[in-house]
Amino acid sequence: MKLLVPLLLVALALGCYEADAAACPAFVLDSTGFLFDPAPVFRLKLAKYNAPPEAVEAKLQVKECTDQIDKGKRALIAGVLTKIVTECAL
């Protein structure tokens, strides 16, 4: 529960462009991947950003925490993220 609020705030902050408030498609894919993809698959998705290895490992450590959340609750989080992205587009 403690992780949910910061995750949603970051999603809101990063998910909307300032100019037109449309969600970046890569952000949407990465957010759902963060919640549902296995760690090896998500690591491959992160490779496209050429991030430093320390940053990738830090992201995967956070993912380990979210992977412990029940799948039903992760689906609820994804629903909230979808609603945020939809509202940003209006």
Side-chain angles (χ1 to χ4, degrees), residues 3-16 23 27-36 66 73-89:
L3 181 63
L4 176 63
V5 175
L7 179 67
L8 291 177
L9 289 175
V10 169
L12 181 59
L14 298 176
C16 297
F27 169 76
V28 174
L29 289 175
D30 288 345
S31 295
T32 56
F34 181 74
L35 290 171
F36 297 110
T66 59
K73 292 190 179 190
R74 281 190 270 165
L76 290 173
I77 293 169
V80 171
L81 290 172
T82 302
K83 191 170 186 175
I84 290 170
V85 168
T86 304
E87 289 294 320
C88 287

Side-chain angles (χ1 to χ4, degrees), residues 1 17 20-22 24-25 29 32 36-37 45 50 54 61 67-68 72 79:
M1 182 65 181
Y17 287 118
D20 63 2
C24 173
L29 289 175
T32 56
F36 297 110
D37 287 346
K45 285 184 177 182
N50 295 323
E54 307 86 35
Q61 283 181 358
D67 285 347
Q68 294 175 11

Side-chain angles (χ1 to χ4, degrees), residues 41-51 55-56 59-60:
V41 174
F42 190 67
R43 181 184 293 273
L44 290 174
K45 285 184 177 182
L46 291 176
K48 68 183 173 188
Y49 296 110
N50 295 323
V56 172
K59 182 83 169 183
L60 289 172

